[in-house]
């Protein structure tokens, strides 16, 4: 795979290594957004069937991306917090049950669990990373596995840690969770689209994903997958389109007690969004064409030399056996000064993120090895 920067509109004056913050937009996605924005000038160009057809197309494309056999197990959501709230609301918890979370995971995958745990008198168990960087990812995964027991009702975590790219062994965690009948809920926002994932390989209970990062879509729209165990759940809102026979506009006031099939009940109101929905569809189609496995391979190719140089200079970075290639965190030692680094990177217009104690670097198909070389040269001079 070759660099695809020509498909984006990124300035040559900047070095953008910050896709984990927000992806740049594909030109093709922008074109679809503009076209659909202008359609609102003439509402007669939007027939009633358009309220439903674009939703189905997006759900089918997302199902294809994650290897889900049935697109009706997917839902259109406005945010990760919305998707997580639907999952948390429908988890069966008893007093004394445990919910396992990873320490310092993104807050949208914490607050709903904390609220439901407090309501049900359940316990939140946070699994901390080891302080020693030697085999850090391996030990962290072992700690998660060891924590799963007969009291575990749910494990809610990411595939890739949002701050430093640590990979979690979801296959092993899924196997252990099934032994105790525990749910596994995944926030895939920092991995899906850039790192391979398939429901067929890892049959988790739910996958929640924001659309504006590695899915390359617009802000305020994301996707979710809920397996059949959620088919009888209660959604956090009651939208008319999520009920049976809502396609018949003439009978909408004949109130319907039944929902549309499976996870359709969990889609956000106005998910037909005539601008954003086609944009996210186009972005996912491009990812399907590229294939996340190839994106991951490309990211490894352009980041390897940079990471080795930084490690030789004393920076701490998760070993590549336990880390994704598209996202990695650089931790400083006493020999490095964060303020000096921030100033240098700003002066050279290199865009990264600062998350906790890590400098988060995230590379994609629009980057080249020279972008990472510039970063490593500045940090090691």
């Amino acid at each position: 795979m070759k660099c695809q920067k020509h498909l984006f509109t990124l300035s040559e004056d900047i070095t953008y290594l910050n896709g984990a913050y927000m992806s740049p937009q594909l030109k093709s996605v922008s074109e679809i957004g503009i076209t659909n924005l202008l359609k609102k000038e003439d509402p007669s160009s939007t027939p009633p069937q358009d309220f439903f057809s674009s939703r189905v197309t997006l759900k089918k494309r997302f199902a294809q991306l994650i290897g889900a056999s049935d697109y009706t197990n997917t839902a259109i959501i406005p945010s990760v917090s919305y998707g997580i709230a639907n999952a948390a609301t429908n988890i069966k918890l008893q007093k004394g049950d445990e919910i396992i979370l990873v320490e310092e995971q993104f807050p949208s995958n914490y607050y709903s669990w904390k609220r439901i745990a407090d309501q049900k008198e359940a316990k939140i168990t946070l699994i901390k990373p080891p302080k020693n960087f030697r085999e850090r990812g391996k030990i962290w995964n072992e700690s998660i596995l060891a924590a799963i027991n007969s009291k575990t009702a749910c494990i809610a975590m990411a595939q890739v840690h949002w701050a430093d790219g640590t990979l979690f062994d979801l296959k092993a965690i899924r196997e252990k969770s099934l032994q105790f009948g525990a749910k596994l809920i995944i926030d895939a926002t920092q991995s899906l689209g850039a790192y391979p994932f398939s429901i067929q390989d890892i049959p988790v209970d739910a996958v929640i994903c924001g659309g504006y990062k590695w899915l390359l879509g617009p802000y305020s729209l994301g996707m979710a997958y809920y397996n059949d165990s959620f088919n009888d759940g209660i959604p956090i809102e009651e939208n008319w389109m999520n009920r049976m026979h809502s396609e018949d506009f003439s009978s909408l006031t004949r109130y319907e007690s039944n929902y549309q099939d499976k996870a359709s009940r969990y889609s956000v109101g106005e998910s037909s969004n005539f601008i954003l929905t086609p944009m996210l569809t186009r972005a996912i189609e491009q990812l399907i064409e590229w294939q996340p496995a190839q994106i991951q391979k490309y990211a490894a190719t352009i980041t390897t030399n940079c990471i080795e140089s930084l490690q030789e200079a004393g920076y701490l970075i998760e070993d590549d056996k336990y880390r994704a290639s598209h996202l990695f965190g650089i931790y400083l030692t006493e020999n490095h000064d964060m303020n000096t680094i921030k100033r240098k990177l700003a002066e050279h217009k290199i865009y990264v993120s600062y998350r906790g104690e890590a400098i988060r670097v995230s590379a994609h198909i629009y980057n080249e090895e020279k972008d990472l070389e510039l970063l490593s040269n500045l940090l090691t001079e």
Side-chain angles (χ1 to χ4, degrees), residues 155-311:
I155 304 108
M157 59 186 298
Q159 182 180 25
V160 169
H161 195 277
W162 72 295
D164 59 25
T166 299
L167 269 175
F168 296 111
D169 188 351
L170 296 187
K171 185 168 287 189
I173 293 168
R174 170 79 290 193
E175 291 174 0
K176 184 80 179 283
S177 69
L178 287 173
Q179 293 177 23
F180 296 100
K183 297 281 190 188
L184 180 56
I185 312 297
I186 301 302
D187 173 4
T189 301
Q190 291 293 8
S191 56
L192 198 57
Y195 194 89
F197 176 84
S198 171
I199 291 294
Q200 303 303 316
D201 294 335
I202 311 173
V204 301
D205 296 284
V207 177
I208 319 296
C209 190
Y212 69 100
K213 297 181 186 284
W214 302 100
L215 288 186
L216 303 182
Y219 192 71
S220 297
L221 201 67
M223 294 299 298
Y225 164 89
Y226 301 98
N227 72 7
D228 286 348
S229 68
F230 287 92
N231 285 355
D232 296 321
I234 305 297
I236 61 173
E237 69 165 292
E238 299 293 350
N239 179 253
W240 66 275
M241 293 183 69
N242 296 345
R243 299 285 178 155
M244 292 294 290
H245 311 304
S246 55
E247 297 88 350
D248 183 2
F249 281 31
S250 66
S251 62
L252 290 181
T253 54
R254 298 172 192 160
Y255 301 126
E256 174 63 57
S257 59
N258 295 314
Y259 291 101
Q260 299 272 5
D261 288 343
K262 298 190 175 183
S264 298
R265 68 187 61 203
Y266 299 115
S267 286
V268 67
E270 299 189 12
S271 56
S272 309
N273 196 311
F274 301 113
I275 300 169
L276 302 187
T277 296
M279 291 173 72
L280 184 54
T281 300
R282 174 67 193 103
I284 293 176
E285 288 171 346
Q286 182 64 77
L287 292 172
I288 292 170
E289 180 182 334
W290 282 336
Q291 299 180 19
Q294 294 304 311
I295 294 172
Q296 192 65 197
K297 184 177 179 181
Y298 179 83
T301 300
I302 65 173
T303 58
T304 296
N305 288 338
C306 168
I307 290 171
E308 290 177 355
S309 295
L310 292 172
Q311 289 173 327

Side-chain angles (χ1 to χ4, degrees), residues 299-351:
T301 300
I302 65 173
T303 58
T304 296
N305 288 338
C306 168
I307 290 171
E308 290 177 355
S309 295
L310 292 172
Q311 289 173 327
E312 289 172 3
Y315 291 97
L316 302 176
I317 300 172
E318 183 72 78
D319 188 89
D320 60 5
K321 291 185 294 185
Y322 310 113
R323 170 184 45 77
S325 295
H326 67 286
L327 190 164
F328 62 93
I330 304 170
Y331 290 89
L332 312 188
T333 66
E334 58 186 16
N335 298 320
H336 308 114
D337 180 68
M338 181 66 84
N339 290 329
T340 300
I341 290 171
K342 287 182 177 181
R343 176 180 54 77
K344 279 186 179 182
L345 298 188
E347 287 174 354
H348 288 81
K349 296 183 180 180
I350 298 177
Y351 289 83

Side-chain angles (χ1 to χ4, degrees), residues 27-253:
K27 294 176 183 178
S28 59
V29 172
S30 294
E31 290 169 3
I32 286 175
I34 292 169
T35 298
N36 284 283
L37 172 67
L38 295 176
K39 280 184 69 176
K40 182 65 165 57
E41 294 179 352
D42 177 15
S44 67
S45 67
T46 303
Q49 58 264 32
D50 283 7
F51 280 81
F52 301 91
S53 58
S54 61
R55 299 199 324 163
V56 170
T57 301
L58 174 55
K59 285 156 65 76
K60 286 182 175 180
R61 298 296 180 272
F62 182 70
Q64 183 179 354
L65 181 67
I66 65 172
S69 59
D70 188 347
Y71 78 89
T72 61
N73 281 116
T74 69
I76 301 170
I77 58 174
S79 63
V80 170
S81 58
Y82 187 99
I84 292 294
N86 269 318
T89 298
N90 290 286
I91 295 290
K92 295 179 180 178
L93 280 179
Q94 305 294 327
K95 182 178 179 179
D97 283 350
E98 293 181 359
I99 300 171
I100 293 176
L101 307 177
V102 173
E103 188 174 73
E104 295 186 357
Q105 68 184 22
F106 198 76
S108 289
N109 200 15
Y110 171 82
Y111 292 126
S112 283
W113 301 112
K114 181 66 168 65
R115 177 172 58 82
I116 200 72
D118 289 345
Q119 289 176 354
K120 302 292 185 179
E121 297 184 71
K123 176 186 176 184
I124 296 287
T125 300
L126 291 173
I127 309 301
K128 298 180 180 182
K131 293 182 179 180
N132 193 328
F133 253 77
R134 185 175 177 82
E135 295 192 318
R136 176 175 175 270
K138 178 176 181 289
I139 296 169
W140 203 354
N141 273 281
E142 289 173 348
S143 298
I144 294 168
L145 287 168
I148 302 170
N149 60 68
S150 59
K151 285 289 188 180
T152 306
C154 177
I155 304 108
M157 59 186 298
Q159 182 180 25
V160 169
H161 195 277
W162 72 295
D164 59 25
T166 299
L167 269 175
F168 296 111
D169 188 351
L170 296 187
K171 185 168 287 189
I173 293 168
R174 170 79 290 193
E175 291 174 0
K176 184 80 179 283
S177 69
L178 287 173
Q179 293 177 23
F180 296 100
K183 297 281 190 188
L184 180 56
I185 312 297
I186 301 302
D187 173 4
T189 301
Q190 291 293 8
S191 56
L192 198 57
Y195 194 89
F197 176 84
S198 171
I199 291 294
Q200 303 303 316
D201 294 335
I202 311 173
V204 301
D205 296 284
V207 177
I208 319 296
C209 190
Y212 69 100
K213 297 181 186 284
W214 302 100
L215 288 186
L216 303 182
Y219 192 71
S220 297
L221 201 67
M223 294 299 298
Y225 164 89
Y226 301 98
N227 72 7
D228 286 348
S229 68
F230 287 92
N231 285 355
D232 296 321
I234 305 297
I236 61 173
E237 69 165 292
E238 299 293 350
N239 179 253
W240 66 275
M241 293 183 69
N242 296 345
R243 299 285 178 155
M244 292 294 290
H245 311 304
S246 55
E247 297 88 350
D248 183 2
F249 281 31
S250 66
S251 62
L252 290 181
T253 54

